[in-house]
Structure formats: structure tokens, C-alpha cells
Amino acid sequence: MTIPAKDINLPILHLIGEEADKLHLECYVIGGWVRDLLLHRHSKDIDVVVVGSGIELARAVALRLGKGAHLAVFKTYGTAQVKKGEQEVEFVGARRESYRHESRNPIVEDGTLEDDQNRRDFTINALAICLNSDRYGVLLDPFGGIDDLQEGIIRTPLDPDITFSDDPLRMMRGIRFATQLGFYLDRETFDAIERNRERIGIITKERIVDELQKIMLSRKPSVGWLLLDKTGLLPLIFPELSALKGIETVEGRGHKDVFLHTLKVLDNVADKSDNLWLRWAALLHDIGKPRSKQWEPNTGWTFKNHNYIGAKMLQGIFKRMKLPLNDKLDYVRKLVDLHMRPINLIEDTVTDSAVRRLLFEAGDDIDDLMLLCDADITSKNEEKVQRYHRNYELVRQKMRELEERDRIRNFQPPVMGEEIMQLLGLEPCKEVGELKMAVKDAILDGIIPNEHDAAKAYLLQIAAERGIGKVKGER
Ligand code: CTP
């Protein structure tokens, strides 16, 4: 099969082919770029395999590209990278790889194109297109990768036990491709993941999390998490999520399966938002439920404080999974912690103060929180679903009204610590913090408006009542 010239008409590919011809080297574009070309997906990075020295060809290509081209050579791996502007091309010599059981590092030898295709993870990633001018565009597909692309199948080129044992990360990659592309795992490939799952233990958390992030950014991330569960990888890489599975029944009363509910919430959020961390918040919103679950004879199943317990678990989870311990963690923690609050604001008796406090605590993330809460409604009872959505709309309306009036969302106290110290002749001390807090509470509780003069008057009043400081001008 030959790929139509118009589909591979990139000047850089022609240029690589010409330089390879001059050096009498056979060369092919291979892997993800070819797969994505045939799937009409955008793919930036180009991998080129050379029968011979990849480094030699890379040098020639960099020279020909001239000014602005950058060459990086990795002698130990026999690879080289050429970059110019946005364009990035990796060059590697065709190789044979064999692996030892206890290590991810293979023994590498020079090989043919076929050897190189053999060592690749999936048939759809082993497709190669020739770049030499006499065979430009000729597609080499020794394992039926084209058929698998058409049928939507993820399958290893060789015995899957060997492919996965050689590099266990490929089990995660297979699940990730199935999720990203909406493909199925071939039965034998699936079974081999199940058999080899324990081997995931030799893979670093960073590489695992890279795959999880790609699953999370897919159109329907639940597909990946369900496959991780079905293959038995989930308890090995994310035991807290695995613990959400299952239904316990007491006196004939069961609770819902929190894992399946969570995946529904995740997909609901993914339908509405590409925000990766909002998706993580969806995945983790009920992570505290197993630890808070209780059967209470008069009430049934309860999950008291599961939001708070869940929020407390996140630092440990993020640290172990090598997820970032920065403002992303703070954001996810905030949403997990607050996700039960809006539902408590739907009663008639709810005070403005409670709404103001939520606005204050959620700040700019209030819209994301409400999106998560909407997504959290997964009841099968349509009437109930509609009622919840309507109630949330009322909460939103109440928030808008209060926000317009009181500007709480990005609340800054109208009297600051400096001013308090100056007004009352105080050095920095704990009373300053307490007074500041009292002013903030009075504003959130609606006792005084969110304005400087009112806040100052209130401050002086409570300071006098508490006998703190000396008001300037006081005799
Ligand atoms: N590959 C492999 N085993 C791995 C990683 C990569 O066999 N564990 C091979 C595959 O042929 C793959 C190619 O190396 O297509 C390039 O790998 P990479 O750039 O990591 O992935 P892509 O397939 O390009 O896909 P993506 O960019 O979506 O990760």
C-alpha cells in the first residue's frame, strides 16, 4: 500500500528522505505520527527510524535545515533529535531489543526495519512509511495495523505476554489508547494485561501518571478507569479508587456503588469541561466515602463528613502518585471539601450568611464547584434529577443576587491588619488577627456592609467592648 503523496507532503519528510538517499540509508517515519495521520488526528512529533545510524542522518538533516536548527545527540541510546521552530523529529537506528525479567532496560542491538517493528507496542503503532525517494509513501504494515485501525482494535504485534513483560508501561498505554481513540482491547491483549499486571510495579509513578493524565483528558475518561479495574491494575496503582467499588447490604438496604457513581460524575464533568483538575476533583470527590461509611439502624447508610475526610486524604494521594503538590492540589482539595455545601443551601430556611460564606470560601472556583455539583446528580429517577437541577439553579440565583450586592467572591477585608494596628496603637499580636476575623465574620453574616467606613466603625466598637488597644485621640 502507498500513502497518497498529498497526505505526506510535508517538506521536512521530503528533506529527510533526500538526505537519507545521499547517505545510502533506508529510512521510515514510524509509530504515533503514522497512526495519527491515518486517523486524521493532529500529531506534531515525528519519529524516524533509520536502518543504520540514526545519528548520522540527524546530523545531515540538521545541517541542511541550517540556521535555527538544533541537534541533540544521545549517544548512549543511539538516538538524536532535530528541532526547528515548532518541528521536532526524533531519529533512531533500527534495533532489536531483548529484555531481562528484573529490569526495564533492554539489551539493544542493531537490527532491520522488521526487528524494529517487532519491538513496538501495538500493531497500530508499528506502521512505517518509507521516505527514500524511490519508495516515498510506501507503507509497511507487517502485523495488520491498518485493519486494526479500521476496526478499532488495540493488539500487540507479538505474543502480548512478551510485549508487556518487556515494558509493562505498555499495559497502561494500551488502556490509554483504547480510551483516547475509542478502540477495544483485543481479547488476548486484555488477558495478557490481567496476567502481567503485577509487573506494573517496576514502572515509575511519573510514567504511570502521564498515562493517567491522558486518560483523564479523553472524551470519556471512565473507559480507561473501567479497563484499569477490569484488568486488575486499579488496586495496584490506585487502591483508594478501588476501595470505592461494591455495594454492601444490611437489612436489605444497599448503598450505591460509589466507583460507578464516581465514573458517571467524571464523564458528566468531561462533557462540560476540559479542565483537567476539575476532572480530577470529580474523580476524587467521594474518595473519603469508604472511610466514613456507617450503618445506622434508624437512618440507614451514612457517609458523614466524607467530603472533609476525602479532602484530608488528597495530600497523601497526590504525593504518592507524583501529582503536583501545588495550587492544583489546593484547587482539587477545595472542591472535594466544598462539594456537599451547595446541596445544603437549597432549603428555604437557608440564610444569606451561609451563601456568602460559600462564595467567600469557593472564591473564583465557585462556577467549577457548581458544575461539579450538577454533575454529581446521577440518580436514575428523572423527576429527582430535574428537581435537583432546579434547586441548584435557585442556589445560583441567590448567589448572583448576593454577589451583586456584597461583592464577596473576591473578598478582601476592608480594614487590613496595618490599619487596625495603627488605629488602635497595637504591635503585631494575636488580637489583631482576632479583630480582623471578627470584622470578616460581621460582613459575611450581614451585620455590616462590605464597606470600609462601616468596617472601621465596627472595628472600633468591638475593640472598645473587648478593651483592646487605645483609640487615637482618646483621652
Ligand atoms: N513505543 C513502544 N513502547 C512504549 C513507548 C513507545 O513500542 N512503551 C513505540 C510505539 O511504536 C510508539 C512510538 O514508540 O508509537 C512513539 O512513542 P510515543 O511518542 O511515546 O507515543 P506515540 O505512539 O507517538 O503516542 P502519544 O504521542 O500519544 O504518546
Side-chain angles (χ1 to χ4, degrees):
M1 181 174 166
T2 304
I3 305 294
K6 69 170 177 32
D7 288 345
I8 42 167
N9 216 1
L10 272 188
I12 181 80
L13 295 183
H14 285 289
L15 186 151
I16 293 169
E18 284 161 25
E19 290 306 308
D21 285 347
K22 284 189 213 158
L23 293 167
H24 306 288
L25 291 170
E26 230 181 279
C27 86
Y28 301 85
V29 55
I30 194 163
W33 192 87
V34 179
R35 176 198 68 223
D36 289 342
L37 172 81
L38 297 168
L39 287 173
H40 308 288
R41 289 172 91 227
H42 173 75
S43 181
K44 217 173 68 221
D45 301 341
I46 299 175
D47 288 306
V48 170
V49 64
V50 182
V51 184
S53 167
I55 295 175
E56 194 186 349
L57 179 58
R59 278 192 210 285
V61 169
L63 211 62
R64 169 96 176 265
L65 285 172
K67 213 164 163 248
H70 180 259
L71 170 75
V73 174
F74 309 96
K75 266 216 175 98
T76 350
Y77 300 104
T79 64
Q81 185 190 59
V82 176
K83 258 191 197 173
K84 187 170 181 181
E86 287 286 282
Q87 194 97 68
E88 215 177 285
V89 188
E90 299 277 343
F91 292 83
V92 61
R95 57 195 184 187
R96 269 167 95 96
E97 282 178 1
S98 48
Y99 288 77
R100 289 153 297 161
H101 188 75
E102 70 288 357
S103 160
R104 267 212 67 238
N105 300 326
I107 300 163
V108 182
E109 298 160 277
D110 290 344
T112 61
L113 173 70
E114 204 175 324
D115 289 330
D116 201 277
Q117 285 174 302
N118 272 328
R119 71 171 184 88
R120 305 232 159 216
D121 53 1
F122 301 108
T123 58
I124 60 167
N125 287 343
L127 297 161
I129 300 175
C130 187
L131 297 179
N132 297 95
S133 54
D134 56 341
R135 290 193 302 143
Y136 193 83
V138 172
L139 180 87
L140 288 108
D141 174 20
F143 312 109
I146 292 283
D147 289 345
D148 287 346
L149 268 186
Q150 270 158 7
E151 285 166 37
I153 291 175
I154 305 292
R155 184 205 317 265
T156 58
L158 303 178
D159 175 349
D161 283 322
I162 295 174
T163 303
F164 293 141
S165 174
D166 282 353
D167 177 1
L169 182 73
R170 291 168 168 172
M171 300 189 281
M172 299 283 307
R173 281 173 58 90
I175 290 174
R176 185 257 291 189
F177 285 122
T179 315
Q180 272 183 329
L181 305 176
F183 279 24
Y184 289 93
L185 284 175
D186 160 69
R187 184 80 239 173
E188 277 181 40
T189 300
F190 179 97
D191 291 346
I193 297 182
E194 208 176 7
R195 273 196 301 277
N196 290 280
R197 63 185 184 277
E198 298 282 347
R199 292 272 288 156
I200 200 68
I202 64 165
I203 300 297
T204 63
K205 289 283 183 307
E206 284 84 351
R207 301 183 80 209
I208 292 176
V209 106
D210 263 1
E211 297 302 323
L212 293 179
Q213 297 291 37
K214 289 177 183 172
I215 289 173
M216 288 299 265
L217 286 169
S218 302
R219 206 178 55 76
K220 201 171 174 205
S222 66
V223 172
W225 292 105
L226 280 170
L227 284 172
L228 288 170
D229 173 43
K230 289 198 178 116
T231 51
L233 281 166
L234 190 65
L236 302 173
I237 61 169
F238 212 141
E240 296 87 348
L241 263 185
S242 209
L244 301 182
K245 282 182 56 181
I247 299 174
E248 210 178 320
T249 308
V250 174
E251 293 171 14
R253 287 170 71 184
H255 55 76
K256 60 181 163 189
D257 181 313
V258 185
F259 182 62
L260 296 179
H261 162 73
T262 291
L263 295 188
K264 186 86 191 67
V265 178
L266 174 60
D267 284 349
N268 286 346
V269 164
D271 274 347
K272 294 266 156 58
S273 167
D274 292 333
N275 177 343
L276 174 65
W277 298 102
L278 179 53
R279 292 178 178 204
W280 275 101
L283 184 76
L284 298 170
H285 79 286
D286 277 346
I287 203 75
K289 272 196 169 172
R291 294 195 188 171
S292 74
K293 182 166 91 171
Q294 262 180 351
W295 170 259
E296 291 177 11
N298 298 324
T299 328
W301 291 108
T302 65
F303 298 93
K304 282 186 194 141
N305 291 328
H306 72 272
N307 52 322
Y308 175 71
I309 293 169
K312 295 268 285 189
M313 290 165 68
L314 294 183
Q315 167 110 13
I317 292 176
F318 269 52
K319 195 162 178 209
R320 191 195 69 233
M321 303 291 290
K322 302 274 191 259
L323 286 161
L325 297 170
N326 55 18
D327 55 326
K328 309 296 184 215
L329 168 62
D330 296 338
Y331 168 86
V332 175
R333 192 161 37 201
K334 186 202 265 188
L335 293 187
V336 172
D337 186 15
L338 295 179
H339 84 271
M340 295 301 288
R341 291 275 283 278
I343 200 147
N344 296 324
L345 295 182
I346 60 184
E347 285 161 22
D348 283 348
T349 51
V350 95
T351 58
D352 285 358
S353 153
V355 179
R356 273 195 214 95
R357 279 179 187 279
L358 179 60
L359 276 169
F360 169 67
E361 281 173 53
D364 277 341
D365 301 320
I366 189 72
D367 295 333
D368 291 352
L369 177 68
M370 293 309 289
L371 197 152
L372 172 62
C373 291
D374 260 329
D376 199 9
I377 306 167
T378 62
S379 164
K380 288 202 178 71
N381 176 341
E382 191 49 30
E383 193 268 323
K384 216 167 154 184
V385 170
Q386 291 313 326
R387 182 154 38 89
Y388 274 118
H389 283 306
R390 273 198 308 276
N391 283 335
Y392 278 147
E393 203 35 57
L394 292 177
V395 171
R396 282 190 166 96
Q397 198 179 327
K398 205 164 194 174
M399 283 178 173
R400 277 195 293 272
E401 284 164 16
L402 279 177
E403 179 58 21
E404 222 166 85
R405 213 175 66 208
D406 301 340
R407 293 161 286 111
I408 294 298
R409 194 162 158 161
N410 285 314
F411 180 84
Q412 289 292 338
V415 283
M416 304 299 237
E418 277 293 316
E419 191 181 357
I420 296 176
M421 289 193 281
Q422 203 198 354
L423 280 168
L424 299 171
L426 293 173
E427 294 296 313
C429 60
K430 83 173 190 327
E431 280 80 8
V432 176
E434 286 168 3
L435 288 169
K436 211 170 130 186
M437 186 73 85
V439 171
K440 183 194 91 184
D441 283 341
I443 293 170
L444 293 177
D445 289 340
I447 297 168
I448 55 170
N450 184 12
E451 287 162 9
H452 178 260
D453 288 355
K456 184 172 156 189
Y458 183 75
L459 168 81
L460 294 176
Q461 180 199 324
I462 53 170
E465 280 167 16
R466 297 179 187 185
I468 302 172
K470 200 169 177 317
V471 178
K472 276 210 172 140
E474 203 179 85
R475 263 172 268 160

